[in-house]
Structures are given as C-alpha cells and as structure tokens.
C-alpha cells in the first residue's frame, strides 16, 4: 500500500513545484518594471529619428547620429515585443487587436485613438514612429509580428516570429535589415508567407520587401526564403534574390507558397519602353538539394520572349527547344544588346496551330529588320521557345488578343 501510494504523491508534488517555479520566473520577466525598461530603450534613439522626420528636406544619405539611432532602435523594438509576449500564454490565438494596441501604446507612449500630444490622431496608426502588425499562423501555431519604424521618405520593418515553448512565446526568428547609410537600405512594404509542412515535416518562411526612396516609384524588390531552426534564431537561408521593381499603384509584389514552392510576382521594366512595365514571375521548387527555378516564368507569350532575352542562358536553356546551338547564339546577341540598353520594340503577336503556339514579332537594336519568335504552349506553365526566324511563319495567321 505504502509502496503504491508514495509514487502517486511524489509525481503531483514535483509537478506542482515545477509549475510554481515556472510561474515565478514568468512573473519576474513580466514585472511592470521590465516592460517599462524595454520601452525606455526607444526614447533616446527615437528622439533622434523624430528630429530627422521633422526636417523640411529629407536627406537620402543618413547622418551618422541617425544611422546609429536606427541601429539601436531595431533590436530595441524586438526586445520590447519579446517582453510583452513573455506575459502572454502561448499555444492559442491571442486577441490580435489588443496585442497591436498594447505594443503601439508601449512603443509610442500614446493610446491608439487618443492622439499623440501634437494634435494629430493615432486612430489609424498615423503620425506615430512605431507600428505593429501581429498575426497568428494557425496551421503552425506560430505568432508573427511585423514591427515597422518610420524613417525619412519611407519606413523600415522587421519580421519577428514566435513559437510556443514551455507555455510561453519564444522568439523563433528575427529577420531585419542590416545597418545602412542611405534610406534605400531599409525594408519597406515587408510581407511574408509561412509554408505548410513538407514531406519531412518542415516549413519555410518567404519574405519580400522593397527599398524606399524619396522621389521615384522605381525601386528594388528583395526576397528571401528561410527555414527556421529548432534550436537557434539564425535560420537556414534557402534562397535570396533581388530585382528591379515598379511599385506604381502600390503594387509591392504578390507572394504565394505551398509545401514545396515559392512564388513572387511583381511589375518591372519591359525591354520595350513603349510597354513600360510587365509582370515578372519568380517561382522556385525548394524540394531538391538546392532551389530550382520552374515554370511559369512569364504570364504571356510576349512576356516570355522578354524574359528569355533578359535572363542568363544557363537559365533559359531549359525553356528552349533543341537544337540549342542556334538559339544560344541568338540569345547571346540579344542579351548583350539588352545589357547595353539597346532599344527593343514588340510588334504583333499571331496564333499558330490553332492556339498551340504563338508567334511574337520583335525589332531589336535599332535594326528595322524584325525577328519572329515561336513560343510553343497554350498555357504559361508550358511555354517553350522553339525557334527564331527573320520571316513570319505563314501558318501563324490569326491575330492574338492584345496583351
């Protein structure tokens, strides 16, 4: 009897002691003084930033005091979010509106909707230095916070990702810009997607952002694909890239993921200045030993010809039909012309073989002689360049719909 009752008494007692210790540790890390100290770290560098924002003429080159202030602010904001999430139970969806308002008040020193002391409303997060966008990733059970800082001519943001451990939210990932000397080193319009689990039970996180500037909607879009580590905040970098971008109309790109693929679509310059901009597609298969770009690479036959010319041969050869030698020599010539900003102009597109192929007309390098590209495939995922000729194919007679 005594033998059997002793273990039943011991296990609950040890569990109770452990829970009591965890509660005491949580209470210590959630003390009001700890939260106040985390918020206080924003005051001095924040004042330097506020002064820069008030300048009549923003300077794209950051003065050393402002550069140092931003370098201090970004980790301090992350520590503030850490401190508040340590006070929240993990493993369930929090009230995101309350969390956003709490972080806003702690960082900016004002309640949402009560003004900032200068006669300006903060109801929509306007006229405040720090902004927070929390989200609960239900499938993964993760909590994400995009923490933004207002800077001259734009904003800078970082992604903070948390997972439940020991009953509390523990930071899994912090993805932020490095220190920068010009405002185009900042990360504006940051967006992210968390993938479903793959066959090995792993997830990845895809992130994109643009680079702000004071006077142009032409910019760069940077993208990264990360695999969070179980025992470290430093993720495995699966893929990283950068392209030019036209964000007119606030089109900052569109991210999508599945368990195996990453895709980013955005608008940037066409080789034909008369077209102005076209949709670019960056789609990668992440299921192999290293990322591999896969179709679709363009949304239309004309855009496919554009992409075929501007991309490196090592990449476009997989979208080219055999024999490759003739196509490679043509590609080298056209690619070199594009590298030297030679003018291009698209002509008409014609349908071939009842829609199974499209002929795209292009004039290049100021030469009046046109080239005719035959693009096989009726759908974007099937496009392949099968030939380039100096004369139109008489079988391609039906005019294609305007792109």
């Amino acid at each position: 009897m005594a033998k059997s009752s002793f273990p039943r008494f011991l296990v609950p007692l040890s569990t109770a002691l452990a829970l009591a210790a965890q509660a005491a540790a949580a209470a210590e890390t959630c003390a009001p003084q700890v939260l106040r100290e985390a918020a206080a770290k924003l005051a001095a560098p924040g004042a330097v930033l506020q002064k820069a924002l008030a300048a009549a003429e923003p300077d794209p080159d950051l003065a050393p005091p402002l550069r140092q202030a931003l370098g201090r602010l970004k980790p301090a904001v992350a520590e503030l979010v850490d401190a508040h999430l340590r006070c929240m139970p993990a493993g369930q969806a929090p009230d995101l509106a309350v969390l956003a308002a709490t972080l806003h008040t702690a960082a900016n020193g004002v309640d949402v909707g009560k003004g900032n002391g200068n006669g300006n409303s903060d109801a929509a997060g306007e006229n405040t230095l720090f902004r927070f966008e929390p989200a609960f990733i239900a499938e993964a059970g993760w909590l994400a916070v995009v923490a933004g800082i207002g800077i001259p001519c734009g904003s800078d943001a970082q992604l903070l990702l948390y997972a439940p451990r020991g009953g509390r939210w523990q930071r899994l990932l912090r993805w932020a810009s490095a220190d920068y000397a010009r405002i185009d080193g900042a990360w504006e319009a940051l967006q992210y997607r968390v993938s479903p689990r793959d066959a090995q039970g792993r997830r990845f996180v895809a992130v994109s952002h643009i680079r702000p500037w004071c006077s142009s909607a032409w910019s760069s879009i940077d993208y990264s694909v990360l695999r969070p580590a179980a025992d470290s905040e430093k993720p495995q970098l699966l893929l990283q890239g950068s392209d030019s971008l036209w964000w007119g109309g606030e089109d900052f790109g569109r991210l999508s993921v599945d368990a195996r693929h990453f895709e980013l679509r955005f608008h940037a310059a066409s080789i034909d200045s008369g077209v102005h901009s076209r949709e670019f597609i960056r789609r990668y298969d992440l299921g192999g030993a290293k990322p591999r770009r896969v179709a679709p690479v363009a949304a239309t036959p004309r855009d496919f010809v554009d992409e075929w010319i501007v991309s490196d041969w090592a990449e476009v050869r997989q979208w080219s039909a055999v024999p490759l030698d003739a196509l490679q020599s043509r590609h080298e010539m056209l690619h070199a012309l594009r590298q030297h900003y030679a003018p291009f102009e698209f002509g008409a597109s014609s349908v071939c073989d009842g829609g199974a192929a499209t002929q795209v007309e292009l004039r290049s390098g100021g030469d009046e002689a046109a080239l005719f590209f035959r693009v096989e495939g009726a759908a974007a995922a099937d496009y392949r360049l099968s030939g380039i000729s100096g004369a139109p194919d008489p079988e391609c007679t039906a005019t294609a719909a305007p792109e």
Side-chain angles (χ1 to χ4, degrees), residues 104-119:
H104 179 281
T105 301
N108 294 289
V110 291
D111 288 335
V112 176
K114 291 188 177 180
N116 61 11
N118 297 318

Side-chain angles (χ1 to χ4, degrees), residues 280-304:
F280 282 64
I281 303 175
R282 298 290 182 258
R283 181 174 176 84
Y284 288 87
D285 184 342
L286 305 170
K290 62 181 182 179
R292 181 173 61 89
R293 191 173 175 193
V294 294
V297 299
T300 67
R302 188 185 68 189
D303 287 356
F304 178 81

Side-chain angles (χ1 to χ4, degrees), residues 35-54:
L35 300 178
R36 285 195 295 269
E37 289 174 355
K41 292 181 180 179
L42 306 180
V48 175
L49 180 54
Q50 288 280 23
K51 184 178 179 180
L53 289 170

